[in-house]
Amino acid sequence: MSQQRHGSTPGEAGGVPAFPDLPEATIARLPEYLRALHHLAETGAETVSSEGLAAAAGVNSAKLRKDLSHLGSYGTRGVGYDVSLLVAQIEYILGLDENRAVCLVGVGNLGHALAGYAGFASRGFRVVALFDTDPRKVGEQINGLTVRHIDDLERIAAEESIAIGVIATPPGTAQTVADALVAAGVTSILNFAPGVLSVPSNVDVRKVDLAIELQILSFHEHRKASLTALPGGRSAAASPDKLPDNQKAVGS
Amino acid sequence: MSQQRHGSTPGEAGGVPAFPDLPEATIARLPEYLRALHHLAETGAETVSSEGLAAAAGVNSAKLRKDLSHLGSYGTRGVGYDVSLLVAQIEYILGLDENRAVCLVGVGNLGHALAGYAGFASRGFRVVALFDTDPRKVGEQINGLTVRHIDDLERIAAEESIAIGVIATPPGTAQTVADALVAAGVTSILNFAPGVLSVPSNVDVRKVDLAIELQILSFHEHRKASLTALPGGRSAAASPDKLPDNQKAVGS
DNA sequence: CGCGATTTGTGCACGCCTTCACAAGCGCCT
DNA sequence: AGGCGCTTGTGAAGGCGTGCACAAATCGCG
Ligand SMILES: NC(=O)c1ccc[n+]([C@@H]2O[C@H](COP(=O)([O-])OP(=O)(O)OC[C@H]3O[C@@H](n4cnc5c(N)ncnc54)[C@H](O)[C@@H]3O)[C@@H](O)[C@H]2O)c1
Ligand SMILES: NC(=O)c1ccc[n+]([C@@H]2O[C@H](COP(=O)([O-])OP(=O)(O)OC[C@H]3O[C@@H](n4cnc5c(N)ncnc54)[C@H](O)[C@@H]3O)[C@@H](O)[C@H]2O)c1
């Protein structure tokens, strides 16, 4: 896609793993590997083979090995990967050891659910602030956090060093909120409102759109239906796949 | 306007547009085009240029044209695309004219928000049933729907011809729920629980994982930080991009 | 100490996707 | 009618990602 291209930086010493520029597709899969590894660690496993980890993460083992090789991983031939070492490696690469501060804007239906979600904390993030404009919402306590007015965004973002913002407001106000986040120094945005955000090139935006996911599924339903309706179309037995075709990475 | 190439099924007559097999990347973008088109239609526009629509959808105009060409679209050179015609085309391809029935399993924090989400209905779907196992939840009314016990899934799914199921239960029960959905005849699943689902090959699964999205953003934060810290790294001015790099498609 | 079993890391080929660049088509204006 | 400007549709090229297949490395055991 766009940025990387610090290509070499040959002045970097060989000891510390510097900063590899991984393929987008790879970094999109690392979180899945990480989750699988945590699960394995809980079961007491100390090492995993690429085959085993790949199965747990739902990918091809060759792909997994190539992904891990990109981050100069330490596996042992004949044995596999050291689980805790690999966890540490991936967490480092993803920057999860920094326990990043996240703020959430829009405490409505969806925002309320997100604010109470335990998955944030357990996966390396701290929700440190909630914002809304609705005077009935401002002041409300959710999960130990007080909902603030969005006018306080800039001040609080600076105080808490917030780098990531989540937008859960109606579509019409999403761009305004995004602008406010950017002005407050946020450089990564996760957007739940349908629509395209325009932000400076140094800001990353990822989007989650429920309806899009459903529509993609709907397409496949449509396709499946038209296949079985066709005389030439082989029935279900025709599918020669190995994996239940998902979104690739995403990247989606 | 030739448009053939739905590969096989040569017995197909030329009149009806048959069923083109679109690239995955293309179908992942169609919903975004559709949303942009609806927005344009509201503003009264009757036609759009590929440039204009591409901007509204946040993609490259060449990519948009190629995508539309795949579905044998009706554009007019020198003029652009007829908005309402294109809307109809895309809705047909995505199968949205069938107003598909969707069920939601797991009416907790997240499920409650989803059940009340208006975006389902406005984008081509009907939420026709809610399921849970918690006796305190079963019987509850949400948005005009009664929460049913999951044991009723099979019966209701058959009655309502439910083809799409949404999973919003804890991760530990997601596989069980998926199995139940499959047994009930559901062939498309949208999964919000972290983890990998295993399903028959004729069932499509898409996954939405908040934490993964955040972790990908975290990676980019990490990368950006290490760039500015590096002596050789050009500052923000170095980025030569045109679009704020997002997840691709696909991919999710 | 050597051998075989096992598993990683990767060179390579292939296919998909993206992007450029431009000819062909269309409407409008003169 | 003719020409001109605009926009689509697409051929071609390049890049990226995937998966195969295998050589290299490591361990355990005899
Ligand atoms: N509810 C869902 O399940 C769901 C699912 C997918 C996507 N979404 C999307 O997520 C967004 C939120 O959905 P919702 O159902 O929670 O809507 P909602 O109306 O319940 O909540 C929106 C909240 O945003 C607040 N808000 C409005 N403008 C604001 C501003 N400028 N700054 C700060 N806060 C502001 C409102 O006061 C309200 O509390 C919408 O864009 C929706 O399309 C929702
Ligand atoms: N809350 C969020 O914002 C959020 C965000 C991202 C992902 N998730 C994921 O979504 C899922 C749901 O999250 P939540 O916060 O709503 O959890 P929750 O505990 O609030 O809700 C889970 C619901 O599922 C029901 N349930 C449990 N087992 C069931 C079964 N076998 N059949 C039917 N229903 C069953 C429970 O009774 C409960 O009502 C989790 O997997 C979570 O990781 C949640």
Side-chain angles (χ1 to χ4, degrees):
Chain A
M1 271 339 177
S2 48
Q3 66 271 56
Q4 64 274 72
R5 186 59 30 69
H6 55 96
S8 44
T9 63
E12 214 60 357
V16 188
F19 210 84
D21 54 353
L22 310 168
E24 271 297 308
T26 294
I27 71 156
R29 282 187 294 265
L30 288 182
E32 195 66 47
Y33 301 157
L34 185 59
R35 192 198 48 74
L37 283 167
H38 274 133
H39 194 74
L40 283 168
E42 283 171 17
T43 72
E46 294 197 353
T47 62
V48 227
S49 69
S50 65
E51 202 74 41
L53 182 52
V59 301
N60 184 303
S61 72
K63 197 188 302 194
L64 176 108
R65 284 199 299 277
K66 182 149 296 189
D67 282 342
L68 294 187
S69 79
H70 282 137
L71 45 90
S73 142
Y74 289 54
T76 314
R77 296 171 190 232
V79 177
Y81 298 91
D82 182 290
V83 173
S84 57
L85 179 61
L86 200 48
V87 164
Q89 270 280 337
I90 295 180
E91 287 187 340
Y92 167 73
I93 291 287
L94 294 180
L96 300 182
D97 42 8
E98 314 209 6
N99 203 240
R100 295 179 193 282
V102 174
C103 74
L104 170 64
V105 184
V107 189
N109 239 335
L110 178 62
H112 207 279
L114 294 177
Y117 182 41
F120 282 120
S122 67
R123 302 235 237 153
F125 301 92
R126 288 178 296 134
V127 180
V128 297
L130 309 176
F131 298 99
D132 208 302
T133 43
D134 189 335
R136 288 166 302 182
K137 299 260 168 68
V138 174
E140 189 181 337
Q141 289 276 333
I142 298 178
N143 212 30
L145 284 174
T146 305
V147 177
R148 315 289 189 120
H149 193 277
I150 196 161
D151 292 346
D152 294 338
L153 172 60
E154 197 145 355
R155 180 176 54 80
I156 296 177
E159 283 175 12
E160 302 268 10
S161 303
I162 298 177
I164 301 180
V166 177
I167 299 180
T169 65
T173 64
Q175 181 63 57
T176 306
V177 170
D179 293 343
L181 285 170
V182 170
V186 167
T187 46
S188 288
I189 294 177
L190 180 55
N191 180 29
F192 283 89
V196 178
L197 294 184
S198 123
V199 296
S201 66
N202 64 317
V203 176
D204 287 298
V205 176
R206 293 189 69 84
K207 172 187 40 164
V208 173
D209 191 325
L210 253 219
I212 287 184
E213 301 300 326
L214 285 179
Q215 288 175 352
I216 293 173
L217 288 174
S218 174
F219 169 84
H220 289 297
E221 284 297 318
H222 191 191
R223 185 181 44 70
K224 283 185 242 176
S226 79
L227 275 185
T228 56
L230 281 180
R234 229 74 104 266
S235 58
S239 54
D241 36 4
K242 39 206 67 164
L243 286 174
D245 93 293
N246 260 32
Q247 62 256 47
K248 66 304 299 286
V250 281
S252 315
Chain B
M1 224 51 39
S2 43
Q3 188 237 348
Q4 60 291 55
R5 189 59 29 73
H6 52 97
S8 47
T9 65
E12 214 57 2
V16 189
F19 209 83
D21 54 354
L22 310 169
E24 271 296 310
T26 294
I27 70 155
R29 282 186 294 265
L30 288 182
E32 195 64 48
Y33 301 158
L34 185 58
R35 191 198 47 75
L37 284 166
H38 273 133
H39 194 74
L40 283 168
E42 283 172 17
T43 71
E46 294 198 353
T47 61
V48 226
S49 69
S50 65
E51 202 73 42
L53 183 52
V59 300
N60 184 303
S61 72
K63 196 187 302 194
L64 177 111
R65 285 199 298 276
K66 181 145 291 188
D67 282 342
L68 294 187
S69 79
H70 281 138
L71 43 90
S73 141
Y74 290 53
T76 312
R77 296 173 190 233
V79 176
Y81 299 91
D82 182 290
V83 172
S84 58
L85 179 61
L86 200 47
V87 164
Q89 271 280 336
I90 295 179
E91 287 186 341
Y92 167 73
I93 291 287
L94 294 179
L96 300 182
D97 44 8
E98 314 209 5
N99 203 241
R100 294 178 192 283
V102 173
C103 74
L104 169 65
V105 185
V107 190
N109 239 334
L110 178 62
H112 207 281
L114 294 177
Y117 182 42
F120 282 119
S122 67
R123 303 235 239 153
F125 301 92
R126 289 178 296 132
V127 180
V128 297
L130 310 175
F131 298 99
D132 208 302
T133 44
D134 189 334
R136 289 166 301 181
K137 298 261 169 69
V138 174
E140 189 182 337
Q141 289 276 334
I142 298 179
N143 213 29
L145 284 174
T146 306
V147 177
R148 313 289 189 120
H149 194 277
I150 196 162
D151 291 347
D152 295 338
L153 171 61
E154 197 146 354
R155 181 177 54 79
I156 296 177
E159 283 175 11
E160 303 267 10
S161 303
I162 298 178
I164 301 181
V166 177
I167 299 180
T169 65
T173 65
Q175 182 63 57
T176 307
V177 170
D179 294 342
L181 285 169
V182 169
V186 167
T187 48
S188 288
I189 294 176
L190 179 56
N191 179 29
F192 283 89
V196 179
L197 293 185
S198 125
V199 296
S201 66
N202 63 317
V203 176
D204 286 299
V205 176
R206 293 189 68 85
K207 173 187 38 161
V208 173
D209 190 326
L210 254 222
I212 287 184
E213 300 300 326
L214 286 180
Q215 288 174 352
I216 293 173
L217 288 175
S218 174
F219 169 85
H220 289 297
E221 284 297 319
H222 192 190
R223 185 181 45 69
K224 283 185 244 178
S226 79
L227 275 185
T228 56
L230 280 180
R234 230 74 103 265
S235 59
S239 55
D241 36 5
K242 40 204 67 165
L243 286 173
D245 92 296
N246 260 32
Q247 63 255 49
K248 67 307 299 286
V250 200
S252 278

